[in-house]
């Protein structure tokens, strides 16, 4: 039986994960899964004094996959970096070696008006960001914010070796091969040596094994502009940890709401699934969050970790159907909006209908 560790985390993380649990529960009869739930992020700091305990990390290492809500909030913002909720997330990614972060951003036809861009620009946009997740400036040493000879100095280190670049590039090329065979790699090779290495390695992997894929290199600053100008011409975007973090939020906004976007962080044999959005302390506890990003992350879990493509597609169809029905949470609608719980229930209802038709 597959084992899944659920870490709701903080803020709206708990609310959106609740809606996922209903769906997991629905499929228990078909595909039994062993579920364990634990504290993570700020919730774990309050209880245990640290964002990720050894015990929870061990459970994550034993599980087939981790489903995560979100971490962070103002009450933990002033803690030292190593004790912040975010550090727990980074440690979890690193320890599970979840090096390839997959962030699909698709414009749902029913939501085309939710985008801040003109309809004719965003129409047809379907971008798949592959972000390197366990290296680069997030983890480079030395890192500090300290006094050096009487002056405060801060430093982080953007460092990649060729193996780290190659393994994530391969994941991105493989995904491109299953989609429209187009990959755009982002760097800053005109200024940073490490990014020249990035470009060189991506080019070599392309030449060696992926000549059937159309490869484009863009500098990150230009890419930030092009993505707004011609979003529908992009397909797979490959980027390092920091550039990928930034571009994925930008791409998310194209689709109308960050509340819609799922992610999977894949390693050799472990994976973490989480919505791209954060813990949103400003709306936490009000039952108005959009659970779709979390629910679509669960769909990715069924697909990538459990190889249950059917279930994954049924969940995606149920989400689309619910949006087609005009059901909207506050972030994507303005009148007659539903709560987080209601959105979850509507999706579940549609899911049961679709599932019974297909069975
Ligand atoms: C993300 C988030 C995280 C990151 C934070 C919460 C550590 O922004 O998953 O994109 O920077 O990776
Ligand atoms: Mg981010």
């Amino acid at each position: 039986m597959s084992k899944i560790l659920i870490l709701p985390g903080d803020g709206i993380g708990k609310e959106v994960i609740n809606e996922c649990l209903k769906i997991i529960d629905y499929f228990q009869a078909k595909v039994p899964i062993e579920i364990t739930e634990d504290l993570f992020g700020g919730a774990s700091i309050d209880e245990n004094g640290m964002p990720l305990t050894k015990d929870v990390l061990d459970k994550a290492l034993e599980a087939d996959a981790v489903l995560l809500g979100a971490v962070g909030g103002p009450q933990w913002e002033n803690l030292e970096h190593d004790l912040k909720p975010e550090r727990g997330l980074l440690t979890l990614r690193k320890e599970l070696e979840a090096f390839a972060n997959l962030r699909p951003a698709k414009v749902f036809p029913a939501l085309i008006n939710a985008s801040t861009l003109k309809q004719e620009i965003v129409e047809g946009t379907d971008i798949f960001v592959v972000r390197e997740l366990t290296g680069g400036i997030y983890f480079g040493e030395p890192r500090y914010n300290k006094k050096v000879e009487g002056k405060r100095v801060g430093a982080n280190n953007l460092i990649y070796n060729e193996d780290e670049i190659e393994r994530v590039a391969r994941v991105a090329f493989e995904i491109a091969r299953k989609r429209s065979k187009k990959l755009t790699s982002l760097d800053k090779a005109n200024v940073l040596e490490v990014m020249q290495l990035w470009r060189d390695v991506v080019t070599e992997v392309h030449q060696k094994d992926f000549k059937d894929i159309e490869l484009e290199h863009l500098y990150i600053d230009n890419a930030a502009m092009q993505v707004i100008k011609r979003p529908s011409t992009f397909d797979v975007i490959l980027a390092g940890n920091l550039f990928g973090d930034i571009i994925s939020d930008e791409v998310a906004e194209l689709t109308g709401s960050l509340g819609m976007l799922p992610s999977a962080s894949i390693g050799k044999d472990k994976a973490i699934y989480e919505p791209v959005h954060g813990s949103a302390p400003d709306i936490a506890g009000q039952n108005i969050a959009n659970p779709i990003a979390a629910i679509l992350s669960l769909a990715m879990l069924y697909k990538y970790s459990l190889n249950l493509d059917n279930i994954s597609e049924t969940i995606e169809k149920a989400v689309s159907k619910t949006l087609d029905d005009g059901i909207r949470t506050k972030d994507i609608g303005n009148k007659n909006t539903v709560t987080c719980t209601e959105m979850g229930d509507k999706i579940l209802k549609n899911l049961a209908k679709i599932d019974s038709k297909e069975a």
Side-chain angles (χ1 to χ4, degrees):
M1 187 156 51
S2 304
K3 275 192 200 163
I4 300 201
L5 175 65
I6 311 256
L7 301 175
D10 309 316
I12 63 167
K14 288 178 263 184
E15 299 167 38
V16 296
I17 288 296
N18 254 333
E19 302 314 304
C20 292
L21 289 172
K22 294 179 188 166
I23 295 179
I24 296 176
D25 204 42
Y26 173 87
F27 286 116
Q28 279 293 16
K30 239 184 207 174
V31 195
I33 294 175
E34 193 186 314
I35 303 279
T36 318
E37 194 176 317
D38 226 309
L39 297 176
F40 185 55
S44 171
I45 294 175
D46 289 349
E47 185 76 21
N48 307 306
M50 58 178 91
L52 173 65
T53 62
K54 166 103 182 38
D55 176 51
V56 172
L57 177 59
D58 286 344
K59 284 181 186 156
L61 286 164
E62 267 171 38
D64 295 289
V66 177
L67 178 65
L68 209 143
V71 295
Q75 60 272 55
W76 305 289
E77 243 160 41
N78 295 322
L79 293 173
E80 257 177 64
H81 267 274
D82 281 342
L83 292 175
K84 282 188 186 188
E86 288 80 357
R87 181 54 55 184
L89 186 54
L90 299 187
T91 306
L92 186 68
R93 291 170 176 172
K94 187 80 175 172
E95 292 291 325
L96 296 191
E97 269 197 272
F99 64 85
N101 181 215
L102 318 183
R103 298 186 158 180
K106 198 172 163 170
V107 171
F108 284 86
L111 284 183
I112 192 128
N113 291 323
S115 175
T116 49
L117 295 191
K118 294 192 195 94
Q119 181 166 339
E120 63 266 30
I121 302 279
V122 278
E123 214 150 46
T125 295
D126 184 355
I127 297 176
F128 200 108
V129 177
V130 179
R131 166 190 177 195
E132 200 291 323
L133 202 61
T134 52
I137 200 163
Y138 274 58
F139 295 96
E141 297 287 344
R143 59 186 170 90
Y144 54 82
N145 175 0
K146 65 179 182 189
K147 269 211 168 129
V148 181
E149 290 166 10
K151 224 190 252 303
R152 286 179 301 156
V153 181
N156 289 91
N157 200 354
L158 175 41
I159 180 162
Y160 272 118
N161 69 44
E162 56 186 344
D163 298 342
E164 290 172 309
I165 302 169
E166 176 169 348
R167 66 181 182 177
V168 72
R170 285 188 177 278
V171 171
F173 278 118
E174 292 289 356
I175 290 170
R177 191 170 265 161
K178 288 192 197 130
R179 291 170 50 98
S180 69
K181 300 200 170 187
K182 206 178 150 201
L183 188 145
T184 306
S185 171
L186 311 187
D187 61 48
K188 191 72 187 171
N190 49 344
V191 178
L192 305 173
E193 284 79 357
V194 54
M195 290 281 101
Q196 184 61 54
L197 176 67
W198 180 278
R199 188 173 283 215
D200 292 347
V201 173
V202 172
T203 306
E204 287 156 21
V205 172
H206 177 241
Q207 283 305 306
K208 203 164 161 235
D209 290 319
F210 297 95
K211 277 195 171 153
D212 55 316
I213 310 291
E214 186 191 327
L215 171 66
E216 169 188 42
H217 298 281
L218 287 183
Y219 297 137
I220 178 67
D221 50 345
N222 183 25
M225 179 182 79
Q226 300 294 341
V227 154
I228 298 292
K229 206 169 161 182
R230 52 172 180 94
S232 62
T233 66
F234 286 88
D235 193 328
V236 177
I237 293 181
L238 168 65
N241 207 342
L242 182 61
F243 294 166
D245 180 44
I246 298 167
I247 207 82
S248 60
D249 268 28
E250 193 188 359
V251 162
E253 193 49 40
L254 291 175
T255 68
S257 172
L258 196 52
M260 304 284 300
L261 298 196
S263 84
S265 305
I266 312 270
K268 275 188 218 100
D269 54 3
K270 303 282 166 198
I272 306 166
Y273 299 83
E274 56 180 309
V276 173
H277 64 70
S279 58
D282 53 327
I283 61 161
Q286 299 176 36
N287 193 20
I288 56 171
N290 186 347
I292 292 183
I295 290 173
L296 291 175
S297 301
L298 175 65
M300 291 183 92
L301 185 156
Y302 277 110
K303 177 172 171 169
Y304 292 103
S305 282
L306 307 182
N307 291 319
L308 295 164
D309 290 29
N310 282 350
I311 291 190
S312 179
E313 277 160 30
T314 304
I315 298 174
E316 284 172 5
K317 278 186 204 160
V319 168
S320 289
K321 173 77 174 73
T322 309
L323 291 171
D324 289 343
D325 291 346
I327 310 297
R328 300 283 185 272
T329 39
K330 246 190 166 153
D331 56 317
I332 50 173
N334 36 37
K335 45 177 198 279
N336 301 329
T337 53
V338 300
T339 62
C340 178
T341 325
E342 283 164 348
M343 177 61 98
D345 289 341
K346 298 270 185 199
I347 292 172
L348 186 63
K349 229 182 193 169
N350 278 325
L351 185 145
K353 261 191 232 159
I354 295 168
D355 186 49
S356 64
K357 254 185 231 149
E358 283 175 359

